[in-house]
Amino acid sequence: MKKKYLPGRRAFVLLATIFVLIGLSPLKADTKGKLTGQVLDSKKGPVIGANVVIVGTTVGASTDLDGNYTILNIPPGTYQLRISVIGYGPQTINGVRISSGQTTTINASLIDEAVAMGEVVVLAEQPMVDVRQTSALSILGKDQIGQLPVQDLSDIVNLQAGVVDGHFRGGRLGEVQYQVDGVSVNNPYDNSSSVKLDRSVLQEVQVISGTFDAEYGQAMSGVVNAVLKSGSEDHFEWNAEMYGGDYVSPGNTARFPHIDRVNPLAIHNYQLSLNGPTGLDKTTFLVGVRRYGNEGYLYGARQFRPGDSADFQNFVLKGTGDGALVPMASSDEWSGQMKIENRSMKNIHLSYQAIGSIVNAQRYQNAFVLLPNGQKKQKSVSFSHGIDFTHTINSTLFYLVSVRQNYYGYTDFVYEDVYDSRYVQYGRPRGDKNYALGAYVQGVDLDRFKQETSTYILKLSVTNQAAQHHLLKMGAEMQFSTLTFGPPGSLVASTVNGVQVLVPIVDSYEYPGLRTYKPVSFAAYVQDLIEFQDFLVRGGVRAEYFDARAQVSSDLQNPANSISGTGMPASEQVSTTRKLVVAPRLGISYPVVEQGSVFFSYGHFYQMPGLGQLFSNSDYRVLKDLQAGAVSYGVMGNPNLKPEFTTQYEFGLKTQIPNLFGFDLSMYYKDIRNLLGVEFVQTYTAAEYARLTNIDFGDVSGFTASVDFRGGTLLSASLDYTYQTAMGNSSDPRETATRAAAGEDARPRQVPLGWDQQHTLNATITMSKHGNFNVTSVVRLGSGQPYTPTVLSRLGANLETNSSRKSNYMVVDLRAEKSFPLFGVGASVFLRMFNVFDARAVNGFIFSDTGSPDYTLNTAGNASVLMDPSRYYAPRRIELGISLNGSSR
């Protein structure tokens, strides 16, 4: 479908029409599942009027004239199902798993009451693959998550097929929609998740790495939906976990100085959660808190302090440091969550939830290894909270209203106040190239940055099982964001009375300070899920609207209106155009064998670039003195950017051998257009400047094959392999400008993208006995990602961009747990090892002249890099802990 950008009134009229249709139509909620099936008698005839109830809840349905039943709006989890009707013996089905946005089918056969010998209890069979899916989808419940050697949501996501270090199927970073309980938590500044979720709060995680339905938007490569745990209505439950650990790599001090020092509490974690009834009618709560600290594995020796003085001319360095080892890549975190739910009003479910964290950290800079107190500190504060209101009108229709606020604040500086006298007193960081390879011996880092985003989201959705085979879905979402970012004051070297000093400048067009923007976006979708016994169709369409609510220059060849001449029109500030795009989606699944199907899906996917890219350096007044051959002003921002666009195609096969193997093959192709890139604009005076625009492109093709194995009650395993090629004209939006500045050919060309990992293999092997022990190993193998080699030559020969590959790698993680009773509560001790075999090179830094992180042909020129330990992959990490849990039952 051709992309459309409708400005002004036409956009509002079309969007208003969509909202009216939504108000008159049924809609869909994201985080609840559906249960359906058929109840027959011993002669295969339909049982009419049978009561199908989820035990422990008030949720249920009755079978119709054909014995069919449907139950909507079920929170994800594992349940017990009870089926009863007069004249037949009752039946209880245990282990019925419900997943968000998915359909679980449970059929039953009842025995005549005269023949039945009491209640029949059976165990629901869990399919190894869902043969009714139309794209690549991974669903992990809390029990599966608990067995893996992972700590937070990002660890879980990176274990899924087609995902490499946050890149979904060859896409750039920031192309994924992250949701918590069905509502976006993306930070529109850079399209990353604004919250960090520990595994202890997760009920279920869904990772969609292929095409996805119209209910999901503002994403081009994938969707991650995390569902939080809820409290129990009839009893209290509590859980406490403590662990400690450190990075352990004996004899590896050549790569990691001081790594032989082992501190069992260098990494420490304490967390406690409690849930249960509040004492109010049908009201439950869940609350949890976590304290986490990690010193890291990179240290500095404090030989100098920021206020030390040095006579560089005579090579006299005066250090007042105490020589203490100081962690320089540490992290200190407090986080917590709460959830309150009420079901006291008939057919109404009301909940409030809040998630928050405060993280203090440091990003390692090797130049400060002797002056660690001069290094910047980073602090992030995230908070997401809101209310969900669900009203069930009848057994086939309900609607949901969600109101959320997502807040994210980030600071990066040495001192908070730009007027802090220590900035002027200590000055910029300085070192001597003849001492410690130029490591700093005085001063502090003068760079300063602050970013703050507050986004309010209103999401409306309703579900209607309009007919036995039709689940109609429609939805709408509105986002109102306030973004403030930039340097909170700059320190500029100026000459006062013949002496060079640092002068604080809070804001000017040459040194812009904090800037605030208030963009808005709207979206609406409609979707139909058609489920027959023989095939399944998912079809929908989504409309997305965006208004940057900013201004741009009306004449890019005279951007600062500084060029005057006879008859030359004045360049004015005009409003950015409003963007409206329409994206169709289609998926089909058709059975080819009894427990297998082929599927096909197609869709258009749009996403606005991170808004920080739009608004950064977008004050074109800095170009007022632009002249041919003059100083560069960097790449200018562009508030008038259009959405990036991807067309995806996916085809595959899903099948299983009951209770033994599950097999999933998916082939895909992505055509990517309007990616963020750089264009060069020439002014009327032949001067030139670089500007962000929608100019980059790429394509990705590949396939993923996965096998799940269940070897009885003790052993299970999964294996997935991904082959893909990701090609494009640049791996970074500013790459074109960088090449031009280096005098290289900046014209578009098709080369491997920097994260193009052609071969990826993930294997998970688990040996467990429920309630007794669990041992899980995760093995990750991957081929080397591309890099551009250099050749030392007097002719200065250049090789083709990304024409060589880094070394292949293997990383093994391990988790072992033993459960036992302790003073009347459940207890377990666990051991986790990350990077068991101490791999040192995993697609990280390498020297471009050798392809190795260890050595270079230009030893003198790379001397300081050779002393930088951060170029290596993180060494082996070992953690030992204990988990306690109890219940009032």
Side-chain angles (χ1 to χ4, degrees):
M1 179 177 290
K2 185 178 180 180
K3 301 181 289 293
K4 299 179 180 179
Y5 305 97
L6 305 180
R9 184 176 302 174
R10 293 175 61 196
F12 282 120
V13 170
L14 180 54
L15 197 62
T17 303
I18 294 172
F19 283 132
V20 171
L21 292 175
I22 290 171
L24 300 175
S25 306
L27 310 173
K28 164 72 170 64
D30 305 323
T31 61
K32 303 299 175 65
K34 170 184 170 182
L35 178 64
T36 187
Q38 187 178 38
V39 180
L40 304 176
D41 59 22
S42 57
K43 299 179 181 179
K44 305 301 181 184
V47 177
I48 303 171
N51 293 316
V52 184
V53 178
I54 297 178
V55 178
T57 73
T58 58
V59 178
S62 297
T63 56
D64 60 17
L65 295 177
D66 296 316
N68 297 312
Y69 71 92
T70 298
I71 305 175
L72 304 179
N73 198 25
I74 309 172
T78 302
Y79 296 93
Q80 187 181 63
L81 191 67
R82 193 171 192 273
I83 305 173
S84 61
V85 65
I86 295 175
Y88 296 89
Q91 184 175 122
T92 297
I93 304 174
N94 295 326
V96 178
R97 182 177 173 182
I98 304 297
S99 297
S100 302
Q102 308 302 313
T103 298
T104 299
T105 302
I106 298 293
N107 298 318
S109 181
L110 301 184
I111 302 174
D112 292 345
E113 191 171 35
V115 180
M117 301 294 289
E119 185 170 359
V120 176
V121 179
V122 299
L123 181 66
E125 180 181 349
Q126 300 295 335
M128 302 192 70
V129 294
D130 189 349
V131 298
R132 298 175 69 79
Q133 290 298 329
T134 60
S135 65
L137 168 67
S138 297
I139 302 176
L140 292 89
K142 63 178 182 179
D143 293 335
Q144 294 170 282
I145 294 171
Q147 294 179 343
L148 294 173
V150 296
Q151 186 57 48
D152 57 37
L153 180 61
S154 62
D155 297 332
I156 299 169
V157 172
N158 281 319
L159 284 179
Q160 308 311 307
V163 182
V164 177
D165 297 330
H167 297 273
F168 277 52
R169 289 191 171 178
R172 287 179 174 177
L173 291 176
E175 294 185 358
V176 179
Q177 173 73 209
Y178 286 89
Q179 299 188 342
V180 173
D181 285 348
V183 181
S184 173
V185 291
N186 275 30
N187 180 0
Y189 174 80
D190 58 3
N191 288 332
S192 65
S193 176
S194 62
V195 299
K196 183 179 180 180
L197 295 176
D198 182 73
R199 66 188 181 94
S200 63
V201 306
L202 299 172
Q203 174 68 32
E204 181 179 89
V205 173
Q206 291 189 354
V207 180
I208 307 175
S209 56
T211 57
F212 40 89
D213 290 345
E215 62 191 279
Y216 301 109
Q218 273 301 296
M220 295 199 301
S221 292
V223 176
V224 176
N225 189 16
V227 181
L228 302 185
K229 294 178 179 177
S230 297
S232 174
E233 288 190 17
D234 56 0
H235 64 280
F236 290 99
E237 296 177 342
W238 62 271
N239 174 265
E241 184 176 283
M242 299 161 284
Y243 66 81
D246 199 358
Y247 294 89
V248 180
S249 184
N252 204 10
T253 55
R255 292 193 180 97
F256 302 107
H258 319 297
I259 195 71
D260 284 343
R261 297 171 59 255
V262 177
N263 176 7
L265 293 179
I267 301 171
H268 52 272
N269 181 86
Y270 311 96
Q271 61 191 57
L272 175 67
S273 64
L274 175 67
N275 75 83
T278 62
L280 302 175
D281 184 31
K282 296 182 179 179
T283 304
T284 64
F285 77 96
L286 179 145
V287 62
V289 63
R290 179 184 184 225
R291 172 75 170 86
Y292 176 78
N294 188 339
E295 286 188 1
Y297 54 93
L298 301 171
Y299 293 86
R302 187 164 49 205
Q303 298 181 20
F304 297 88
R305 298 182 185 274
D308 289 346
S309 60
D311 183 352
F312 292 103
Q313 186 173 357
N314 297 307
F315 195 67
V316 178
L317 308 180
K318 299 178 180 180
T320 63
D322 54 9
L325 294 180
V326 179
M328 292 183 63
S330 60
S331 177
D332 187 85
E333 174 184 344
W334 280 97
S335 61
Q337 65 284 328
M338 65 170 293
K339 195 172 187 178
I340 299 176
E341 298 178 275
N342 178 276
R343 293 181 173 86
S344 61
M345 294 176 284
K346 185 178 181 181
N347 297 331
I348 290 178
H349 176 205
L350 185 65
S351 70
Y352 170 80
Q353 68 175 36
I355 312 166
S357 68
I358 300 175
V359 181
N360 292 286
Q362 280 193 306
R363 189 177 301 114
Y364 182 81
Q365 299 180 73
N366 190 60
F368 286 92
V369 69
L370 304 180
L371 182 70
N373 290 11
Q375 183 176 248
K376 293 185 297 180
K377 302 176 183 66
Q378 295 80 42
K379 180 178 181 179
S380 62
V381 178
S382 66
F383 184 61
S384 176
H385 71 121
I387 296 175
D388 295 329
F389 174 87
T390 306
H391 182 199
T392 303
I393 298 175
N394 55 50
S395 60
T396 60
L397 177 63
F398 70 94
Y399 67 90
L400 168 68
V401 180
S402 297
V403 180
R404 299 282 175 86
Q405 181 197 14
N406 297 328
Y407 171 85
Y408 182 79
Y410 174 82
T411 57
D412 185 10
F413 40 58
V414 179
Y415 307 117
E416 182 174 2
D417 189 353
V418 71
Y419 293 105
D420 193 308
S421 61
R422 288 173 292 184
Y423 273 126
V424 176
Q425 178 185 349
Y426 300 154
R428 64 179 178 85
R430 298 181 64 191
D432 191 297
K433 64 180 180 179
N434 296 313
Y435 179 77
L437 299 175
Y440 295 140
V441 296
Q442 70 175 51
V444 295
D445 195 324
L446 301 182
D447 288 340
R448 296 169 52 80
F449 181 76
K450 180 178 181 180
Q451 188 255 310
E452 188 175 68
T453 304
S454 181
T455 301
Y456 290 90
I457 300 175
L458 173 62
K459 187 170 184 177
L460 313 171
S461 63
V462 183
T463 298
N464 183 13
Q465 189 72 44
Q468 179 182 344
H469 303 296
H470 287 267
L471 183 67
L472 295 177
K473 313 173 186 180
M474 295 182 68
E477 181 176 331
M478 294 162 275
Q479 289 195 21
F480 305 89
S481 300
T482 300
L483 284 80
T484 300
F485 65 92
S490 301
L491 292 138
V492 180
S494 300
T495 302
V496 179
N497 297 326
V499 179
Q500 191 176 63
V501 296
L502 290 176
V503 177
I505 297 179
V506 174
D507 189 22
S508 70
Y509 72 84
E510 295 97 341
Y511 299 98
L514 295 173
R515 294 286 189 264
T516 299
Y517 305 90
K518 297 183 178 181
V520 298
S521 64
F522 303 90
Y525 71 87
V526 57
Q527 178 133 356
D528 188 12
L529 174 60
I530 306 172
E531 297 179 289
F532 288 101
Q533 183 175 355
D534 292 334
F535 68 93
L536 179 145
V537 178
R538 311 174 82 102
V541 62
R542 182 180 183 91
E544 299 192 52
Y545 168 89
F546 176 80
D547 186 357
R549 298 210 290 183
Q551 292 189 321
V552 293
S553 175
S554 62
D555 189 347
L556 294 178
Q557 293 182 279
N558 186 16
N561 200 26
S562 57
I563 304 172
S564 59
T566 305
M568 180 175 292
S571 181
E572 302 174 347
Q573 292 294 297
V574 295
S575 297
T576 53
T577 59
R578 296 158 180 158
K579 315 299 188 303
L580 178 66
V581 294
V582 179
R585 318 274 171 86
L586 176 66
I588 300 173
S589 175
Y590 186 81
V592 290
V593 293
E594 183 177 353
Q595 289 186 306
S597 65
V598 294
F599 66 88
F600 168 79
S601 57
Y602 162 85
H604 285 190
F605 304 90
Y606 293 90
Q607 183 181 29
M608 287 300 301
L611 301 188
Q613 303 271 25
L614 275 74
F615 299 125
S616 291
N617 197 25
S618 60
D619 188 347
Y620 283 45
R621 290 180 297 173
V622 300
L623 301 177
K624 69 181 185 67
D625 298 321
L626 180 67
Q627 299 293 329
V631 64
S632 170
Y633 292 89
V635 178
M636 304 300 297
N638 181 5
N640 214 18
L641 288 169
K642 299 181 291 188
E644 298 174 315
F645 171 63
T646 294
T647 303
Q648 289 196 50
Y649 305 84
E650 189 171 6
F651 175 81
L653 167 69
K654 298 175 185 283
T655 187
Q656 70 176 34
I657 301 174
N659 300 319
L660 191 60
F661 286 104
F663 180 74
D664 192 333
L665 173 66
S666 177
M667 295 171 284
Y668 55 89
Y669 175 76
K670 298 167 62 174
D671 182 22
I672 310 168
R673 293 289 181 268
N674 284 348
L675 281 176
L676 203 58
V678 170
E679 67 174 351
F680 296 93
V681 181
Q682 193 172 71
T683 69
Y684 293 119
T685 58
E688 193 175 70
Y689 65 94
R691 171 179 179 263
L692 288 174
T693 190
N694 299 93
I695 196 171
D696 282 0
F697 56 88
D699 62 74
V700 182
S701 59
F703 71 88
T704 296
S706 62
V707 179
D708 289 315
F709 169 73
R710 292 178 185 169
T713 58
L714 289 179
L715 183 65
S716 63
S718 65
L719 180 72
D720 66 70
Y721 167 75
T722 301
Y723 171 82
Q724 74 175 22
T725 58
M727 306 288 289
N729 70 301
S730 69
S731 302
D732 180 85
R734 290 172 168 77
E735 183 177 319
T736 302
T738 302
R739 293 203 311 271
E744 300 174 4
D745 187 357
R747 290 175 296 181
R749 75 276 191 261
Q750 192 91 335
V751 297
L753 297 175
W755 52 87
D756 177 36
Q757 184 167 297
Q758 293 189 347
H759 305 278
T760 305
L761 183 69
N762 296 322
T764 302
I765 305 171
T766 300
M767 182 173 290
S768 66
K769 185 175 181 180
H770 183 69
N772 190 339
F773 71 90
N774 168 73
V775 179
T776 299
S777 178
V778 175
V779 182
R780 291 175 288 145
L781 294 93
S783 60
Q785 295 172 359
Y787 74 96
T788 304
T790 58
V791 177
L792 296 179
S793 171
R794 284 178 294 180
L795 298 178
N798 291 322
L799 299 183
E800 186 67 29
T801 301
N802 285 345
S803 58
S804 289
R805 294 273 171 175
K806 300 176 184 178
S807 299
N808 300 336
Y809 71 87
M810 180 179 75
V811 176
V812 178
D813 299 331
L814 178 70
R815 185 181 193 276
E817 182 176 21
K818 171 62 179 175
S819 302
F820 55 91
L822 180 67
F823 303 117
V825 302
S828 65
V829 292
F830 60 88
L831 171 71
R832 295 193 304 198
M833 297 180 65
F834 301 88
N835 192 10
V836 173
F837 297 109
D838 222 8
R840 76 183 192 282
V842 181
N843 276 326
F845 170 87
I846 53 95
F847 290 101
S848 58
D849 57 359
T850 64
S852 169
D854 292 317
Y855 66 95
T856 172
L857 301 178
N858 183 15
T859 304
N862 290 310
S864 60
V865 181
L866 285 167
M867 297 297 293
D868 186 349
S870 66
R871 70 186 190 274
Y872 291 109
Y873 189 70
R876 181 189 300 110
R877 187 170 100 227
I878 300 177
E879 298 169 351
L880 179 65
I882 183 170
S883 179
L884 305 172
N885 58 81
S887 171
S888 63
R889 266 195 295 208

